[in-house]
């Protein structure tokens, strides 16, 4: 069963990054129903704007953690499928 990394655009125009096993549609519906407390509960409705499946849950969790640390600009490049921009949008060490 694949594990998905997904990004939701919330009603306040912020992004939520998560993972789920199984039905991605069910997970988005759960967020919109307020099933989970936390970030999306008071930012509904949320729309799915990106999803990628992984065969290994560990890989999905690692990707989720990486994307959660990205700035908005980099997340939006991922959402648009502009993968070539991702290295350029990495934070520079000072």
């Amino acid at each position: 069963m694949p594990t998905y990394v997904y990004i939701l655009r919330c009603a306040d125009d912020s992004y939520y990054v998560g993972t789920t096993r199984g039905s991605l549609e069910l997970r988005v519906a759960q967020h919109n129903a307020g099933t989970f407390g936390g970030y999306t509960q008071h930012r509904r409705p949320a729309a799915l704007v990106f999803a990628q499946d992984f065969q290994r849950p560990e890989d999905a969790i690692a990707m989720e953690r990486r994307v959660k640390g990205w700035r908005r600009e980099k997340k939006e490049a991922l959402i648009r499928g502009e993968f070539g921009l991702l290295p350029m949008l990495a934070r520079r060490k000072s």
Side-chain angles (χ1 to χ4, degrees):
M1 174 181 311
T3 303
Y4 295 93
V5 171
Y6 61 92
I7 301 176
L8 302 177
R9 179 176 289 122
C10 298
D12 65 356
D13 206 34
S14 64
Y15 293 112
Y16 174 82
V17 181
T19 58
T20 190
R21 292 185 192 180
S23 173
L24 189 55
E25 294 78 16
L26 175 60
R27 185 64 162 191
V28 174
Q30 290 170 327
H31 278 288
N32 281 316
T35 304
F36 309 110
Y39 191 83
T40 59
Q41 185 173 12
H42 299 291
R43 292 174 171 87
R44 296 179 283 158
L48 181 67
V49 293
F50 175 83
Q52 182 177 354
D53 66 318
F54 293 84
Q55 291 306 310
R56 294 175 3 120
E58 309 84 52
D59 295 336
I61 292 166
M63 178 68 171
E64 175 193 18
R65 288 181 179 156
R66 270 194 308 275
V67 174
K68 280 187 174 185
W70 291 358
R71 294 176 305 184
R72 181 180 185 88
E73 182 180 28
K74 191 169 180 180
K75 288 176 187 170
E76 289 177 343
L78 178 67
I79 290 164
R80 291 188 307 267
E82 295 175 340
F83 307 117
L85 292 177
L86 298 179
M88 293 185 303
L89 294 171
R91 291 186 176 151
R92 295 180 182 207
K93 294 182 180 179
S94 32

